[in-house]
Amino acid sequence: MQTAYFGRRYLLSASHRLHSDALSDESNRATYGKCNNPHGHGHNYVVEVLVGGPVDSDTGMVINLATLDELVQTSVLKRFDHTNLNYDPLFVNQVPTTENLCRAVFKVLKSTLPSGRLEYVRIEETENNFFQCYGD
């Protein structure tokens, strides 16, 4: 059976401070540089989601766009948009790097996706930095 893919982009604004309690203050500054600012800093992230799977013969879709939008809105945007990621329970024991944010978004969406297979989540942090997390 042939696989088709549907991708969608979302905007998410959040702040974070890159700091590890396992490192000394000096090591944190050396590792994270200006991203270790005690007051944090923010990004306007672009979150890209790609779902793959067979095309439903009745709807002609891999996943309904409205269904995916609602899932991302309730599971990701309501949770992370306009927040400080350091205070989210997912990041209590890990540094809220964009790598870890990408992994967290992938995990949240994969566990709630009603149809299709979550192929990847891609997060653009800046015009030069992006991060991707793929499925199994």
Side-chain angles (χ1 to χ4, degrees):
M1 183 177 293
Q2 189 177 32
T3 300
Y5 300 90
F6 174 71
R8 191 96 163 120
R9 295 167 61 96
Y10 304 90
L11 299 178
L12 166 67
S13 296
S15 66
H16 62 173
R17 178 188 185 205
L18 302 185
H19 182 87
S20 172
D21 291 337
L23 302 175
S24 68
D25 287 343
E26 182 180 317
S27 292
N28 271 295
R29 282 190 298 278
T31 301
Y32 301 116
K34 65 183 179 180
C35 297
N36 184 244
N37 174 353
H39 302 290
H41 64 283
H43 295 283
N44 293 316
Y45 298 101
V46 176
V47 178
E48 184 177 301
V49 176
L50 184 70
V51 177
V55 174
D56 183 275
S57 60
D58 294 331
T59 66
M61 296 184 277
V62 173
I63 187 170
N64 186 298
L65 171 131
T67 302
L68 183 60
D69 281 354
E70 178 62 26
L71 176 64
V72 172
Q73 179 66 37
T74 59
S75 300
V76 177
L77 300 180
K78 282 186 181 178
R79 180 173 191 162
F80 299 119
D81 196 27
H82 291 91
T83 67
N84 182 327
L85 298 174
N86 295 80
Y87 298 116
D88 187 279
L90 286 174
F91 299 111
V92 168
N93 296 313
Q94 65 178 334
V95 181
T97 61
T98 306
E99 290 94 325
N100 283 332
L101 176 61
C102 194
R103 291 171 58 216
V105 169
F106 187 93
K107 184 177 179 181
V108 166
L109 291 178
K110 183 176 180 179
S111 69
T112 57
L113 196 67
S115 64
R117 176 176 189 256
L118 185 59
E119 298 292 331
Y120 72 77
V121 169
R122 179 179 191 264
I123 299 180
E124 292 179 18
E125 180 183 67
T126 68
E127 65 183 26
N128 296 320
N129 298 344
F130 67 89
F131 306 84
Q132 291 187 182
C133 185
Y134 291 89
D136 305 328

